[in-house]
Amino acid sequence: MTKTAKATPAKAKPKKTESAAPKDKVVFKVWGSAPAGVDITYGSDTDNLDGHGLPMTKTLSLKDDAMYYNVSAQLQGGGDIHCSVTVDGKTKTGHARGGYNICSAQLSGGLFGGWN
């Protein structure tokens, strides 16, 4: 009886993480369902910007002197949304479901560098 060699499947290349931010950039995302709408704000300790529509993805340049970056999305009535902010490979996420609840995510600059 002869044994047949089994072909080993080729390993798939790892997919780029959806939440990965380009170097020196900050990525803000809000996604999900908000039939009555959602009010979105995003930015840093010195900037507060408006976002619109779902899904939303916004990218800003990373500022060396920023203390934090955050995203906040308030449901206008019912819905189910998620939000995230990504800096230097670190991601914080939030979730909100139900009438007028708020999804919030924030990354803070560490005292000795890095983001948490």
Side-chain angles (χ1 to χ4, degrees), residues 29-42 48-54 56 70-84 94-105:
K29 293 184 179 184
V30 181
W31 67 96
S33 171
V38 61
D39 288 335
I40 303 170
T41 58
Y42 66 98
N48 193 23
L49 306 165
D50 285 332
H52 301 283
L54 292 180
M56 182 206 82
N70 71 335
V71 61
S72 177
Q74 182 172 16
L75 289 162
Q76 297 303 304
D80 189 347
I81 57 174
H82 295 265
C83 58
S84 69
H95 176 243
R97 180 180 0 195
Y100 300 95
N101 286 325
I102 299 171
C103 182
S104 181

Coordinates of all heavy atoms in Angstrom, one line a residue, residues 29-42 48-54 56 70-84 94-105:
K29 N -13.8 56.1 13.8 CA -14.8 55.4 13.1 C -16.1 55.3 13.9 O -16.0 55.2 15.1 CB -14.4 54.0 12.8 CG -13.2 53.9 11.8 CD -12.9 52.5 11.4 CE -11.7 52.4 10.4 NZ -11.4 51.1 10.0
V30 N -17.2 55.4 13.2 CA -18.5 55.1 13.8 C -19.3 54.3 12.8 O -19.4 54.6 11.6 CB -19.3 56.4 14.1 CG1 -20.7 56.1 14.8 CG2 -18.5 57.3 15.0
W31 N -19.9 53.2 13.2 CA -20.7 52.3 12.3 C -21.8 51.7 13.1 O -21.9 51.6 14.3 CB -19.8 51.3 11.7 CG -19.2 50.3 12.6 CD1 -19.7 49.0 12.9 CD2 -18.1 50.4 13.5 NE1 -19.0 48.4 13.8 CE2 -17.9 49.2 14.2 CE3 -17.2 51.4 13.7 CZ2 -16.9 49.0 15.1 CZ3 -16.2 51.2 14.7 CH2 -16.0 50.0 15.3
G32 N -22.8 51.2 12.3 CA -23.9 50.5 12.9 C -25.2 51.0 12.2 O -25.3 51.4 11.1
S33 N -26.3 51.0 13.0 CA -27.6 51.3 12.6 C -28.2 52.5 13.4 O -28.2 52.3 14.7 CB -28.5 50.1 12.6 OG -29.9 50.5 12.4
A34 N -28.6 53.5 12.8 CA -29.2 54.7 13.5 C -30.3 55.2 12.7 O -30.2 56.3 12.0 CB -28.2 55.7 13.8
P35 N -31.5 54.6 12.6 CA -32.6 55.0 11.8 C -33.0 56.4 11.9 O -33.4 57.1 10.9 CB -33.7 54.0 12.1 CG -33.0 52.8 12.7 CD -31.8 53.4 13.4
A36 N -33.0 57.0 13.1 CA -33.4 58.3 13.4 C -32.2 59.3 13.3 O -32.4 60.5 13.5 CB -34.1 58.4 14.7
G37 N -31.0 58.8 13.0 CA -29.9 59.7 12.9 C -28.9 59.6 14.1 O -29.3 59.0 15.1
V38 N -27.8 60.2 14.0 CA -26.8 60.2 15.0 C -26.0 61.5 14.9 O -25.7 62.0 13.9 CB -25.8 58.9 14.9 CG1 -25.1 58.9 13.6 CG2 -24.9 58.8 16.0
D39 N -25.7 62.0 16.1 CA -24.8 63.2 16.2 C -23.4 62.8 16.6 O -23.2 62.2 17.6 CB -25.3 64.2 17.2 CG -26.6 64.9 16.8 OD1 -26.8 65.0 15.6 OD2 -27.3 65.4 17.7
I40 N -22.4 63.1 15.7 CA -21.0 62.6 15.9 C -20.1 63.8 16.1 O -20.2 64.8 15.3 CB -20.6 61.8 14.7 CG1 -21.5 60.6 14.5 CG2 -19.1 61.3 14.9 CD1 -21.3 59.9 13.1
T41 N -19.2 63.7 17.1 CA -18.1 64.7 17.3 C -16.9 63.8 17.4 O -16.9 62.7 18.0 CB -18.3 65.6 18.4 OG1 -18.5 64.9 19.6 CG2 -19.5 66.5 18.3
Y42 N -15.7 64.4 17.0 CA -14.5 63.7 17.1 C -13.4 64.7 17.1 O -13.6 65.9 16.7 CB -14.2 62.7 15.9 CG -14.1 63.3 14.6 CD1 -12.9 63.6 14.0 CD2 -15.2 63.7 13.9 CE1 -12.7 64.2 12.8 CE2 -15.1 64.3 12.6 CZ -13.9 64.5 12.1 OH -13.7 65.1 10.9
N48 N -12.5 70.1 18.1 CA -13.8 69.3 18.2 C -14.5 69.5 16.8 O -14.9 70.6 16.4 CB -14.7 70.0 19.3 CG -15.8 69.1 19.7 OD1 -15.8 67.9 19.4 ND2 -16.9 69.7 20.2
L49 N -14.6 68.4 16.1 CA -15.1 68.4 14.7 C -16.4 67.6 14.6 O -16.7 66.7 15.4 CB -14.1 67.8 13.8 CG -12.7 68.5 13.9 CD1 -11.7 67.6 13.2 CD2 -12.7 69.9 13.3
D50 N -17.3 68.0 13.6 CA -18.5 67.2 13.4 C -18.3 66.1 12.3 O -17.6 66.3 11.3 CB -19.6 68.2 12.8 CG -20.2 69.1 13.8 OD1 -20.2 68.7 15.0 OD2 -20.6 70.2 13.5
G51 N -18.9 65.0 12.6 CA -19.0 63.9 11.6 C -20.4 63.7 11.1 O -21.3 64.1 11.8
H52 N -20.5 63.1 10.0 CA -21.9 62.9 9.4 C -22.0 61.5 8.8 O -21.0 61.0 8.2 CB -22.1 63.9 8.3 CG -22.0 65.3 8.8 ND1 -23.0 65.9 9.6 CD2 -21.0 66.3 8.7 CE1 -22.7 67.2 9.9 NE2 -21.5 67.4 9.4
G53 N -23.2 60.9 8.9 CA -23.5 59.7 8.2 C -22.8 58.4 8.8 O -21.8 58.5 9.5
L54 N -23.5 57.3 8.5 CA -22.9 56.0 8.9 C -22.7 55.1 7.7 O -23.6 55.2 6.8 CB -23.9 55.3 9.9 CG -24.0 55.9 11.3 CD1 -25.0 55.1 12.1 CD2 -22.7 56.0 12.0
M56 N -19.0 56.1 9.3 CA -18.1 57.3 9.2 C -16.7 56.9 9.5 O -16.5 56.2 10.5 CB -18.6 58.4 10.2 CG -17.7 59.6 10.0 SD -17.6 60.6 11.5 CE -16.4 59.8 12.5
N70 N -10.6 61.7 20.9 CA -11.8 61.0 21.3 C -12.9 61.1 20.1 O -12.8 61.9 19.3 CB -12.4 61.5 22.6 CG -13.0 62.9 22.5 OD1 -12.6 63.6 21.6 ND2 -13.9 63.2 23.4
V71 N -13.8 60.2 20.2 CA -15.0 60.2 19.3 C -16.2 59.9 20.2 O -16.2 59.1 21.1 CB -14.9 59.1 18.2 CG1 -14.8 57.7 18.7 CG2 -16.0 59.3 17.2
S72 N -17.3 60.6 19.9 CA -18.6 60.5 20.6 C -19.7 60.5 19.6 O -19.7 61.4 18.7 CB -18.7 61.6 21.6 OG -19.9 61.6 22.3
A73 N -20.6 59.6 19.7 CA -21.8 59.5 18.8 C -23.0 59.3 19.6 O -23.1 58.3 20.3 CB -21.5 58.4 17.8
Q74 N -24.0 60.2 19.5 CA -25.2 60.1 20.3 C -26.4 59.7 19.3 O -26.6 60.4 18.3 CB -25.6 61.3 21.0 CG -26.9 61.2 21.8 CD -27.2 62.3 22.7 OE1 -26.6 63.4 22.6 NE2 -28.1 62.1 23.7
L75 N -27.0 58.6 19.6 CA -28.2 58.2 18.9 C -29.3 59.2 19.0 O -29.6 59.7 20.1 CB -28.7 56.8 19.3 CG -27.7 55.6 19.0 CD1 -28.0 54.4 19.8 CD2 -27.9 55.3 17.5
Q76 N -30.0 59.5 17.9 CA -31.2 60.3 18.0 C -32.4 59.5 17.9 O -33.0 59.4 16.8 CB -31.1 61.4 16.8 CG -29.9 62.3 17.0 CD -30.0 63.0 18.3 OE1 -30.9 63.7 18.6 NE2 -28.9 62.9 19.0
G77 N -32.8 58.8 18.9 CA -33.8 57.8 18.9 C -33.1 56.5 19.1 O -32.1 56.4 19.6
G78 N -33.8 55.4 18.6 CA -33.2 54.1 18.7 C -32.0 53.8 17.8 O -31.7 54.6 16.9
G79 N -31.4 52.7 18.0 CA -30.3 52.3 17.1 C -29.3 51.4 17.8 O -29.5 51.1 19.0
D80 N -28.2 51.0 17.1 CA -27.2 50.2 17.7 C -25.9 50.6 16.9 O -25.8 50.2 15.8 CB -27.5 48.7 17.5 CG -26.6 47.8 18.2 OD1 -25.5 48.2 18.7 OD2 -26.9 46.6 18.3
I81 N -25.0 51.3 17.6 CA -23.8 51.8 17.0 C -22.5 51.4 17.7 O -22.6 51.1 18.9 CB -23.8 53.3 16.8 CG1 -24.0 54.0 18.1 CG2 -24.9 53.7 15.7 CD1 -23.9 55.5 18.0
H82 N -21.4 51.4 17.0 CA -20.1 51.2 17.6 C -19.2 52.3 17.2 O -19.5 52.9 16.1 CB -19.5 49.9 17.1 CG -20.2 48.6 17.5 ND1 -19.9 47.9 18.6 CD2 -21.3 48.0 16.9 CE1 -20.7 46.9 18.7 NE2 -21.6 47.0 17.7
C83 N -18.2 52.6 18.0 CA -17.3 53.7 17.6 C -15.8 53.3 18.0 O -15.7 52.4 18.9 CB -17.7 55.0 18.3 SG -17.8 54.9 20.1
S84 N -14.8 53.9 17.4 CA -13.5 53.6 17.7 C -12.6 54.7 17.4 O -12.8 55.5 16.5 CB -13.0 52.3 17.0 OG -12.8 52.5 15.6
G94 N -16.1 51.7 21.6 CA -17.3 51.9 22.5 C -18.5 51.4 21.7 O -18.5 51.0 20.5
H95 N -19.7 51.3 22.5 CA -20.9 50.7 21.9 C -22.1 51.4 22.6 O -22.0 51.8 23.8 CB -21.0 49.2 22.2 CG -22.2 48.6 21.7 ND1 -23.1 48.0 22.6 CD2 -22.8 48.5 20.5 CE1 -24.1 47.5 22.0 NE2 -24.0 47.8 20.7
A96 N -23.1 51.7 21.8 CA -24.4 52.2 22.4 C -25.6 51.6 21.7 O -25.5 51.4 20.4 CB -24.4 53.7 22.2
R97 N -26.6 51.3 22.4 CA -27.8 50.8 21.9 C -29.0 51.4 22.6 O -29.0 51.5 23.8 CB -27.8 49.2 22.1 CG -29.1 48.6 21.5 CD -29.1 47.1 21.7 NE -27.9 46.7 22.4 CZ -27.5 45.4 22.5 NH1 -28.1 44.5 21.9 NH2 -26.4 45.1 23.1
G98 N -30.0 51.7 21.9 CA -31.2 52.3 22.5 C -31.4 53.8 22.2 O -30.5 54.4 21.7
G99 N -32.5 54.3 22.7 CA -32.8 55.7 22.5 C -31.8 56.7 23.1 O -31.7 56.7 24.3
Y100 N -31.2 57.6 22.4 CA -30.4 58.7 22.8 C -29.2 58.3 23.6 O -28.5 59.1 24.3 CB -31.3 59.7 23.6 CG -32.4 60.2 22.7 CD1 -33.6 59.7 22.7 CD2 -32.1 61.2 21.8 CE1 -34.6 60.1 21.9 CE2 -33.1 61.7 21.0 CZ -34.4 61.1 21.0 OH -35.3 61.6 20.2
N101 N -28.7 57.0 23.6 CA -27.5 56.6 24.2 C -26.3 57.1 23.5 O -26.4 57.4 22.3 CB -27.5 55.1 24.5 CG -28.4 54.7 25.6 OD1 -28.6 55.4 26.5 ND2 -29.1 53.6 25.4
I102 N -25.2 57.1 24.1 CA -23.9 57.7 23.6 C -22.8 56.6 23.5 O -22.5 56.0 24.5 CB -23.5 58.9 24.4 CG1 -24.5 60.0 24.4 CG2 -22.1 59.4 23.9 CD1 -24.2 61.1 25.4
C103 N -22.2 56.5 22.3 CA -21.1 55.7 22.1 C -19.8 56.6 22.3 O -19.8 57.7 21.7 CB -21.1 55.1 20.7 SG -19.7 54.0 20.4
S104 N -18.9 56.2 23.1 CA -17.7 57.0 23.3 C -16.5 56.2 23.3 O -16.5 55.1 23.9 CB -17.9 57.8 24.6 OG -16.8 58.6 24.9
A105 N -15.4 56.7 22.8 CA -14.1 56.0 22.8 C -13.0 57.1 22.9 O -13.1 58.1 22.2 CB -13.9 55.1 21.6

